[in-house]
Amino acid sequence: MSLLLGTTITISSNHWMMAWTGLEINTLAIIPLISKSHHPRAIEAATKYFLTQAAASTLLLFSSMTNAWFTGQWDITQLTHPTSCLLLTTAVSIKLGLTPFHFWFPEVLQGSSMTTGLLLATLMKFPPTALLVLTSPSLNPTLLTTMAIASAALGGWMGLNQTQVRKVLAFSSISHLGWMTIILLYNPKLTLLTFYLYCLMTSAIFLTLNTTKITNLATMMTAWTKIPPLTTTLMLALLSLAGLPPLTGFLPKWLIIQELTKQEMTPVATTIALLSLLGLFFYLRLAYCATITLPPNSSNHMKQWQTNKSVHIPVTTLISLSIMLLPLSPMIFTTT
């Protein structure tokens, strides 16, 4: 309830103090969820999360106060002072985990459970993204483009060497944030559309991993024998997150490259498109481990050909949407 309250306060406010209050409520609400298991790694993750988010909130408050000091405006859309814009970009980048402020995110996600990881990767990124969209006309284009390309590059490179699925998804999130940030100044609605579709696909993958109890590549290789249909659709959802046509994940990448080309930013579009190939490699590796690799020894548990249906209704709905939304592109264009 507190998470929903904090998110709602931030995205619906037009005063900086209210936006800051909502972000603080969110931070305080997620910390018990991260440290719920009382495992040392979970406590460490909660501590890291608290310290980084507290620093980001302080910077955000300092940015808005500096702007109010020089301009007399507390309105979110009236952020005009250059120093305030720079500080705000830094604060929101720390909140989101954009490069070069990404170091906390994979560690925190690895120390959390799957459901808490899902909240951290989706819901907790919504308020900072909303603030970025509201202040986008005032932000520095060169800085945002540089951070976006760095995020796409780092998310791709660092994900290549990971064996823990949550860390792979954390670097995937950093890479997707790069795509959202690069188009922010030119088409903020497209940033939101990319964010919504990213949340949809990531939710499907996290819930599937939670159902099949997959945490690393070794357990992923033995998951095929548990629920074969679910593992097959997991492969498709991973390829959708990679942005392969004709799956849903291709839509935001296609639109962003098109918009960047219209803005005569073809070199930037080419660079970020090539960097997405790094992400494609580790998604393919996950898909390969999930469906094509069979363990050398036979598993000792029964095959669950039919499982509890009530558990899988949200999973099946989200996976269907994350695979088959591309034909609805014209309708999505008209709504956005």
Side-chain angles (χ1 to χ4, degrees):
M1 289 296 288
S2 297
L3 278 176
L4 291 173
L5 175 70
T7 305
T8 310
I9 287 173
T10 303
I11 63 176
S12 59
S13 60
N14 59 3
H15 193 286
W16 276 115
M17 288 301 286
M18 286 304 291
W20 173 79
T21 308
L23 289 170
E24 285 298 294
I25 292 170
N26 259 6
T27 303
L28 293 173
I30 196 78
I31 284 170
L33 291 175
I34 299 172
S35 58
K36 188 174 58 175
S37 65
H38 300 296
H39 189 276
R41 186 169 283 175
I43 305 298
E44 182 191 339
T47 311
K48 284 178 179 173
Y49 185 79
F50 174 72
L51 292 173
T52 48
Q53 297 299 308
S57 292
T58 311
L59 265 180
L60 184 122
L61 197 57
F62 182 52
S63 156
S64 54
M65 284 173 70
T66 310
N67 188 66
W69 178 268
F70 282 102
T71 64
Q73 283 287 345
W74 280 99
D75 197 306
I76 291 178
T77 53
Q78 301 296 319
L79 191 78
T80 50
H81 194 260
T83 312
S84 297
C85 294
L86 192 63
L87 284 169
L88 177 88
T89 310
T90 309
V92 175
S93 301
I94 297 172
K95 284 263 175 207
L96 287 170
L98 265 173
T99 307
F101 310 105
H102 63 279
F103 298 100
W104 64 273
F105 188 56
E107 299 296 325
V108 171
L109 212 63
Q110 181 58 33
S112 313
S113 65
M114 279 292 175
T115 43
T116 311
L118 170 60
L119 287 173
L120 283 167
T122 54
L123 185 67
M124 296 302 289
K125 291 192 184 297
F126 190 34
T129 309
L131 288 179
L132 266 185
V133 168
L134 286 170
T135 55
S136 57
S138 317
L139 303 179
N140 185 338
T142 315
L143 179 64
L144 281 180
T145 306
T146 309
M147 288 171 76
I149 290 177
S151 295
L154 186 127
W157 279 117
M158 296 292 286
L160 293 177
N161 205 25
Q162 301 298 330
T163 54
Q164 298 291 328
V165 176
R166 275 169 293 189
K167 278 199 173 175
V168 170
L169 288 170
F171 287 115
S172 147
S173 177
I174 292 166
S175 178
H176 276 84
L177 281 170
W179 282 87
M180 290 173 216
T181 312
I182 205 159
I183 203 65
L184 179 70
L185 294 175
Y186 310 105
N187 193 340
K189 285 185 177 178
L190 195 45
T191 298
L192 284 176
L193 175 67
T194 310
F195 179 71
Y196 296 147
L197 291 177
Y198 159 75
C199 287
L200 176 75
M201 295 180 287
T202 306
S203 302
I205 289 169
F206 265 107
L207 290 172
T208 307
L209 295 174
N210 193 37
T211 307
T212 50
K213 300 291 180 282
I214 295 171
T215 53
N216 53 31
L217 292 184
T219 51
M220 199 173 224
M221 288 178 189
T222 58
W224 174 248
T225 50
K226 288 184 190 172
I227 316 173
L230 192 60
T231 324
T232 312
T233 50
L234 172 64
M235 178 194 74
L236 289 172
L238 285 164
L239 294 179
S240 179
L241 198 58
L244 283 185
L247 304 166
T248 306
F250 176 61
L251 175 61
K253 286 187 167 61
W254 168 34
L255 292 177
I256 288 170
I257 290 171
Q258 187 181 1
E259 185 65 34
L260 286 173
T261 314
K262 280 181 191 171
Q263 300 290 338
E264 297 182 356
M265 294 175 69
T266 315
V268 174
T270 309
T271 308
I272 201 162
L274 288 171
L275 288 172
S276 70
L277 293 176
L278 293 167
L280 176 62
F281 179 84
F282 62 72
Y283 291 122
L284 279 172
R285 188 174 65 160
L286 286 176
Y288 178 82
C289 289
T291 52
I292 301 169
T293 313
L294 285 175
N297 54 336
S298 58
S299 51
N300 295 325
H301 48 69
M302 295 289 288
K303 287 187 175 63
Q304 300 174 13
W305 288 100
Q306 189 167 7
T307 52
N308 184 0
K309 288 185 176 61
S310 62
V311 176
H312 293 306
I313 289 168
V315 184
T316 48
T317 310
L318 286 167
I319 282 190
S320 303
L321 290 172
S322 65
I323 292 170
M324 298 189 292
L325 270 186
L326 191 66
L328 296 177
S329 306
M331 190 178 82
I332 294 169
F333 297 159
T334 52
T335 53
T336 55

